[in-house]
Amino acid sequence: MKIIYIHHSTFCVETGGKVLVFDYYNGKGLPSCEYHGEMPEYPEETPVYVFASHSHRDHFDAEVLAWSRRYRQIHYIFAKEVKRKLGNSMLKRLGFGEEIKEKITYVRPGEKHEVGGVAVETFLSTDSGVAFLVTVSGKVIYHAGDLNWWRWEGETEAFNLYQEATYKRQIDLLAQRKPDVSFVVVDPRQEQDKFLGIEYFMQQIGAGYVVPMHLWKKYGLVEEYRDRLGQEQGRQRILLFDRENQSLVLE
């Protein structure tokens, strides 16, 4: 399995002759942080699976639909809310007809789908859309989207309790699946609470590699979290991607 960090929460995973792309956006449009990572190009016959966990502009860009003009075997797995953002008018403006709709599978939380030989399971996000658990070529890959233990100063206690309960419930479900690689949110904007989500995840998920994401370029947080673990086995499970288009091959 080869993992390529594009930027932010966008990752490209190559395994078993297939390519999986999670939460791609072009790196622009957010004044606080701009990225310049680029998608690799593959032979036209490559099976490509494009996942969008939700429609926030740092997780989805409609330009991914243009990839269908290059890759004949392309499949889109989008959270249902993305359908509302796209709409027929946007598809027409982008120059697509009815044929593109046949390539898109829209998913809701708590569903299971088989898309082009790949098994997809979804979990409820604490923010918007879904998180993905994908089984492909004997590997199990988890991408959180914006599923995280969001705790914010200034929010109501009811909000923060909902976030905690919902996050724990979803991760407890995931614990039974034993992912090989998990992409998990660590957001520096949460300040002292930024490690809540990944700490609970590490406690509950006892196997596999974990890739912190959604870092807003604060890559030093990965080493900071590694230091908190205090045990070598746990440190080795946390993978650091600290530059755009960095790649890593896992045996």
Side-chain angles (χ1 to χ4, degrees):
M1 182 189 303
K2 182 178 181 180
I3 302 172
I4 304 168
Y5 169 59
I6 308 304
H7 46 229
H8 196 50
S9 297
T10 306
F11 288 85
C12 184
V13 178
E14 304 172 9
T15 184
K18 297 179 173 63
V19 173
L20 285 64
V21 183
F22 293 96
D23 281 15
Y24 175 85
Y25 89 110
N26 64 12
K28 300 175 177 60
L30 297 174
S32 59
C33 196
E34 185 168 306
Y35 294 93
H36 304 280
E38 296 181 357
M39 274 297 301
E41 288 193 358
Y42 298 95
E44 293 179 4
E45 67 275 10
T46 304
V48 177
Y49 302 77
V50 183
F51 296 83
S53 65
H54 60 295
S55 62
H56 290 174
R57 59 182 177 175
D58 62 325
H59 289 261
F60 173 74
D61 194 305
E63 75 176 58
V64 298
L65 297 175
W67 300 351
S68 65
R69 297 180 176 123
R70 174 178 175 86
Y71 302 110
R72 295 187 296 274
Q73 297 187 72
I74 195 166
H75 306 268
Y76 297 99
I77 303 94
F78 292 164
K80 187 73 172 181
E81 66 164 54
V82 175
K83 185 176 185 178
R84 293 193 295 272
K85 181 172 183 175
L86 283 176
N88 290 328
S89 59
M90 179 178 284
L91 290 176
K92 288 179 180 177
R93 287 200 307 272
L94 294 171
F96 294 104
E98 292 296 315
E99 74 285 349
I100 194 67
K101 296 181 181 179
E102 299 175 2
K103 300 179 182 294
I104 304 173
T105 301
Y106 291 105
V107 298
R108 296 182 176 89
E111 295 183 344
K112 294 182 180 180
H113 296 263
E114 189 280 326
V115 181
V118 170
V120 179
E121 187 172 355
T122 57
F123 296 82
L124 175 66
S125 177
T126 46
D127 186 6
S128 185
V130 302
F132 290 109
L133 188 73
V134 182
T135 303
V136 53
S137 304
K139 301 294 184 182
V140 181
I141 301 163
Y142 168 71
H143 190 283
D146 267 353
L147 171 57
N148 184 34
W149 184 342
W150 299 107
R151 181 175 182 85
W152 300 105
E153 292 295 329
E155 285 289 352
T156 65
E157 189 63 16
F159 172 89
N160 287 326
L161 287 173
Y162 168 82
Q163 289 288 318
E164 178 181 357
T166 304
Y167 182 75
K168 287 181 175 180
R169 186 163 57 248
Q170 298 306 301
I171 299 307
D172 290 350
L173 289 172
L174 182 66
Q176 305 168 23
R177 313 301 201 274
K178 302 297 182 186
D180 295 293
V181 176
S182 300
F183 300 95
V184 178
V185 175
V186 175
D187 195 312
R189 300 173 301 173
Q190 288 185 271
E191 299 179 343
Q192 71 269 19
D193 295 319
K194 57 186 172 291
F195 296 132
L196 280 177
I198 195 171
E199 284 184 337
Y200 188 79
F201 187 93
M202 292 292 287
Q203 292 168 11
Q204 299 303 108
I205 310 296
Y209 293 102
V210 176
V211 181
M213 65 175 189
H214 213 270
L215 295 163
W216 302 103
K217 294 189 177 182
K218 304 296 184 182
Y219 301 116
L221 292 179
V222 180
E223 281 300 335
E224 182 181 339
Y225 181 66
R226 280 174 166 173
D227 291 341
R228 288 166 63 105
L229 289 175
Q231 40 120 346
E232 191 59 30
Q233 185 177 7
R235 287 177 57 87
Q236 291 174 352
R237 288 178 58 200
I238 305 296
L239 302 182
L240 169 61
F241 290 86
D242 59 3
R243 62 185 184 276
E244 294 160 30
N245 286 113
Q246 179 183 354
S247 64
L248 178 66
V249 176
L250 301 177
E251 299 297 332

